[in-house]
Amino acid sequence: MSNNLVPKLSRRGFCLCCVGVASIGVAGGWLSPREAYAEAHQLVHMIRDSAAKADITTHKLRGGVYALEGSGGNIAVFVGASGKVMIDAGITATRPKIAKALGALGAQPVTTLINTHWHFDHADGNEWVHDEGATIMAHANTKSRLLETQRVEDWDYTFPPSAPGAIPTETFSSDKQVVLEGCKLDLVCYEAAHTDSDIGVRFVDQNILHTGDTYWNGIYPFIDYSTGGSIDGKIAACEKSLKMADDKTIVIPGHGNPVSNKAELKAFHDMLVAVRDNVSTLKKKGMSVGEVVAAKPTKKFDAKWGQFVITPGLFTELVYEGV
């Protein structure tokens, strides 16, 4: 593999669904998303190895809510008087450091874990968190995905069914409100967006919203078409999140800096709309995916959004697939 195709795994980058490789560069040509990921063979094993070396950074938000950054997707934690509520579980290889970070927030056990979707970098730690005594809640489609073998074509990878302890036991498929450890939470079901299992979690009294992977802060996102994702659904999910937010809302994205806000979420939404429209216009003219990538329909946004592992070319290909 050429050096310019090796994914760079940083603290914010070593997660399965955000590891991308350059889609332009092989003899001046381009790679499809699947070909690009295939170039980085053994990717999942590499991520597991990298996760074991990851640092976990704790961000204090407000009202007993914290964000843990460094194990795949961004994790949120509410610390109640007698227990903790955890949003996403990260990658199992970071268990010792996640456990240490949780312990630093108090001796209370994690009593509930809520998955924002089924992907490896958000739900891989489900089993150990459950073994520590937590009940797992998630969208019904997350349970279905974790119960069965999943093939993600754009990663060229097949995931086996998860262990019984990793499977959510409390599921839902429409918006609902729950009170856990004294914390009022809105569980928000998005239409198929990043996957077909996406939810957001709104900490009502704290005015904090965890969007899962429907929002990536400052970086181009991945869209998993193999398990129901869509560019239009991703835009719709952002619109639903924006309606729940105000200028004081703290927004926790699935990836990127975990402390965000409504203005940054709106910028992400507007970028998605513009790129979708640009790519759709070119595709309707009969242009191939390679021709559309060469036309650089993301050029206006690349300086801000294209400096991470989902490159402008790869993001263009993903959008092309869905318009």
Side-chain angles (χ1 to χ4, degrees), residues 214 220-221 223 230-239 242 265-281 297-298 300-301 305 315 319 323:
T214 65
Y220 287 137
I223 303 168
S230 81
I231 180 62
D232 287 339
K234 208 164 184 71
I235 290 168
C238 289
E239 291 169 352
L242 286 167
L265 173 60
K266 179 64 162 57
F268 178 77
H269 165 272
D270 293 350
M271 177 274 294
L272 292 180
V273 171
V275 173
R276 177 198 61 186
D277 292 349
N278 289 348
V279 173
S280 179
T281 296
T298 65
K300 176 181 176 181
F301 304 98
W305 302 93
F315 183 55
V319 175
V323 298

Side-chain angles (χ1 to χ4, degrees), residues 174-175 187-191 209 233-245 265 269:
S174 60
D175 296 357
L187 306 181
V188 181
C189 293
Y190 299 112
E191 67 176 81
L209 174 63
K234 208 164 184 71
I235 290 168
C238 289
E239 291 169 352
K240 188 167 186 175
S241 293
L242 286 167
K243 289 178 181 178
M244 292 185 286
L265 173 60
H269 165 272

Side-chain angles (χ1 to χ4, degrees), residues 111-318:
T111 56
T112 306
L113 167 64
I114 302 172
N115 290 145
T116 62
H117 62 295
W118 78 271
H119 275 165
F120 165 85
D121 53 326
H122 297 258
D124 190 54
N126 277 16
E127 185 176 23
W128 78 261
V129 178
H130 171 262
D131 287 347
E132 299 256 324
T135 296
I136 305 176
M137 301 179 66
H139 192 288
N141 288 349
T142 292
K143 179 176 182 177
S144 297
R145 295 291 182 187
L146 294 177
L147 277 171
E148 300 177 356
T149 299
Q150 299 299 323
R151 174 71 181 174
V152 180
E153 287 296 337
D154 285 341
W155 297 340
D156 195 23
Y157 194 86
T158 301
F159 292 88
S162 295
I167 306 300
T169 56
E170 296 187 22
T171 63
F172 51 93
S173 55
S174 60
D175 296 357
K176 64 183 295 184
Q177 188 173 93
V178 296
V179 178
L180 301 171
E181 299 300 334
C183 184
K184 187 185 298 182
L185 300 171
D186 286 336
L187 306 181
V188 181
C189 293
Y190 299 112
E191 67 176 81
H194 179 66
T195 68
D196 65 3
S197 61
D198 300 306
I199 69 162
V201 180
R202 180 172 174 257
F203 299 82
V204 177
D205 295 332
Q206 293 88 348
N207 194 13
I208 296 171
L209 174 63
H210 193 314
T211 65
D213 274 4
T214 65
Y215 167 42
W216 289 20
N217 186 16
I219 51 181
Y220 287 137
F222 180 68
I223 303 168
D224 183 5
Y225 293 101
S226 292
T227 63
S230 81
I231 180 62
D232 287 339
K234 208 164 184 71
I235 290 168
C238 289
E239 291 169 352
K240 188 167 186 175
S241 293
L242 286 167
K243 289 178 181 178
M244 292 185 286
D246 59 34
D247 291 341
K248 295 182 180 179
T249 303
I250 295 174
V251 181
I252 303 173
H255 296 280
N257 189 324
V259 186
S260 187
N261 54 49
K262 183 177 183 178
E264 291 177 340
L265 173 60
K266 179 64 162 57
F268 178 77
H269 165 272
D270 293 350
M271 177 274 294
L272 292 180
V273 171
V275 173
R276 177 198 61 186
D277 292 349
N278 289 348
V279 173
S280 179
T281 296
L282 296 174
K283 187 173 182 178
K284 287 177 180 177
K285 292 181 179 179
M287 295 174 66
S288 68
V289 60
E291 290 170 333
V292 173
V293 169
K296 299 182 178 179
T298 65
K299 183 177 181 180
K300 176 181 176 181
F301 304 98
D302 290 347
K304 177 178 180 179
W305 302 93
Q307 304 304 310
F308 200 53
V309 288
I310 297 291
T311 64
L314 180 53
F315 183 55
T316 298
E317 295 166 25
L318 291 168

